[in-house]
Amino acid sequence: MSGVYHWGALAVQERVGVRGPAEHVGRSIGTGIRDVAAAFLELQPHLVVGAADGAGRMWASWLTGPPGFVRATGPHRIAVAGGPPAGDPLAEALATAGTRVGTIALDPRTRRRMRLNGALTATPRGFAVEAEQVFANCPKYLQKRQPLELVAEGAGVVARGDALTPGQVRTVRGADTFFVATTAEAEGADASHRGGLPGFVEVLSPVELAWPDYAGNAMFLTLGNLTADPRAGLLFPDWESGSVLQLSGRALTEFAPDGGRRTRFRVESVVEAVHPGRLLWSTPEYSPHLGSTTR
């Protein structure tokens, strides 16, 4: 089963001692979109997409639309109507055929999530992705929320920089959810989720963050990618206001003697935006797993 993992993921699995469980869990990774997955996608009002921009920087972008804007159009293909708002760091990449993307659809209402990675094709209405990896993750560390209001207007990109402002520092410190986009060059891109209680992402300085790596599914796809390539993109959604904070930079994983793990991220570029057509969500019901997180 090592064929579903590249050398970076295998190296982390070996180091942590989970090769056996990883091989078992790896059997869930396929290329086909099952009927239940297709039905799940059509209910989602947003999709996170990770990719590299034209300069090679990794970003995670937040796409929104009415349910059905993301749908399976075949057993190995999804179509996305529309794209990122004007000024988004991935606007050009998501209109370029051949871009390698990682996507994650996460439903706060049900604590379900689905990941699909592959190669992009531009379409008249947006873009499509030919699936190379399709799999679901368990609901661990996902916060539960309910949709409240759809806001049609938006201001687009409101700030750019190369370090966090005081307001953006508060956003990061208050976050209970973020998404991380990574790559392993020839192996393609991936987008994943991280969740914790507010404060689980530390702001060490305006250009450096850190967060713990909680026990998960033993795949280590994100840490494996970072072993092979340190580029990463982070996306912090503000569920209650609809704004998003996007960071691009480089990350590395620190392994402690007791088996604990922590990722440190160096900020290189910052984009803050307010999207039109954004859905506002309730305050969270935190995951029950967060009371027993281990590093």
Side-chain angles (χ1 to χ4, degrees), residues 6 9 48-52 56-61 90 100-104 115-118 133 135 178-194 211 220-235 247-253 263-265:
H6 61 72
V48 174
V49 180
R57 295 180 294 255
M58 289 299 297
W59 294 94
S61 289
L90 290 183
R100 305 297 293 278
V101 301
T103 74
I104 178 169
R115 289 157 73 178
L116 185 148
N117 304 333
Q133 291 184 322
F135 56 104
F178 74 94
F179 299 89
V180 53
T182 56
T183 185
E185 297 182 347
E187 302 296 334
D190 179 70
S192 185
H193 156 275
R194 292 292 183 271
W211 60 87
F220 288 109
L221 299 182
T222 298
L223 298 195
N225 280 353
L226 293 177
T227 299
D229 189 322
R231 291 177 295 163
L234 309 186
L235 171 68
L247 311 179
S248 184
R250 294 176 180 268
L252 60 85
T253 304
T263 300
R264 293 173 70 102
F265 176 83

Side-chain angles (χ1 to χ4, degrees), residues 69-226:
F69 90 105
V70 182
R71 60 189 180 91
T73 56
H76 307 283
R77 180 184 174 98
I78 64 170
V80 180
D88 187 273
L90 290 183
E92 183 178 351
L94 297 185
T96 303
T99 297
R100 305 297 293 278
V101 301
T103 74
I104 178 169
L106 185 154
D107 190 340
R109 299 164 293 191
T110 60
R111 289 195 175 111
R112 294 173 62 198
R113 53 183 160 168
M114 171 186 166
R115 289 157 73 178
L116 185 148
N117 304 333
L120 180 146
T121 301
T123 67
R125 298 185 60 210
F127 64 89
V129 181
E130 297 293 337
E132 297 170 357
Q133 291 184 322
V134 182
F135 56 104
N137 288 134
C138 72
K140 220 172 186 182
Y141 314 130
L142 272 65
Q143 328 306 352
K144 194 170 188 178
R145 289 177 160 89
Q146 299 300 326
L148 297 178
E149 179 186 1
L150 181 66
V151 180
E153 70 276 5
V157 171
V158 296
R160 296 181 187 272
D162 55 12
L164 297 175
T165 66
Q168 292 164 351
V169 167
R170 288 192 293 272
T171 295
V172 173
R173 286 179 171 157
D176 59 54
T177 299
F178 74 94
F179 299 89
V180 53
T182 56
T183 185
E185 297 182 347
E187 302 296 334
D190 179 70
S192 185
H193 156 275
R194 292 292 183 271
L197 296 175
F200 85 109
V201 182
E202 299 176 73
V203 180
L204 306 178
S205 79
V207 294
E208 191 170 20
L209 312 180
W211 60 87
D213 185 66
Y214 297 142
N217 57 23
M219 290 183 180
F220 288 109
L221 299 182
T222 298
L223 298 195
N225 280 353
L226 293 177

